[in-house]
Amino acid sequence: MTPMRWIYLSLAIWGAIHPMYYFVSWFQENGWNLGAMIDAWYVNDATTGLTWDLTIAAVSLTIWIIAEVGVRRNWSALIAIPATYCIGVSCGLPLYLFLRSKPIP
């Protein structure tokens, strides 16, 4: 495995674990209510801007993944789409780069 693949994999793992720490902390403090968390994302202009920034990045990444999977036939790379929406762009993007950088047989 190339050094860049290790970097992508490390970033994907970090992008899964680090944000989850804050999400779980928030849920423990405020209750396990997803609706309340989504409301918190729009509590002020700064968080609303960040929410939209990440949403647009996630949609762009999804379109890119679908377009490239159609050409490269690397079907396993589709796992980056649920990782992006269930965990975050911080996991989905490096995970896709890791999967995409695998040599094509």
Side-chain angles (χ1 to χ4, degrees), residues 15 18-20 22-23 37-38 40-42 45-63 65 80-94:
H18 198 147
M20 276 304 146
Y22 292 100
F23 293 147
M37 178 177 247
I38 292 170
W41 296 345
Y42 297 97
D45 287 344
T47 59
T48 300
L50 185 57
T51 299
W52 278 109
D53 181 61
L54 292 172
T55 300
I56 294 166
V59 170
S60 301
L61 176 58
T62 300
I63 293 168
I65 291 170
I81 294 173
T84 298
Y85 290 97
C86 295
I87 300 170
V89 175
S90 63
C91 176
L93 175 58

Side-chain angles (χ1 to χ4, degrees), residues 1-13 94-103:
M1 194 155 75
T2 67
M4 282 306 294
R5 288 197 82 216
W6 280 111
I7 291 170
Y8 293 146
L9 181 59
S10 299
L11 288 169
I13 293 168
L95 176 61
Y96 178 68
L97 293 173
F98 170 75
L99 296 169
R100 182 184 186 276
S101 62
K102 181 177 90 172

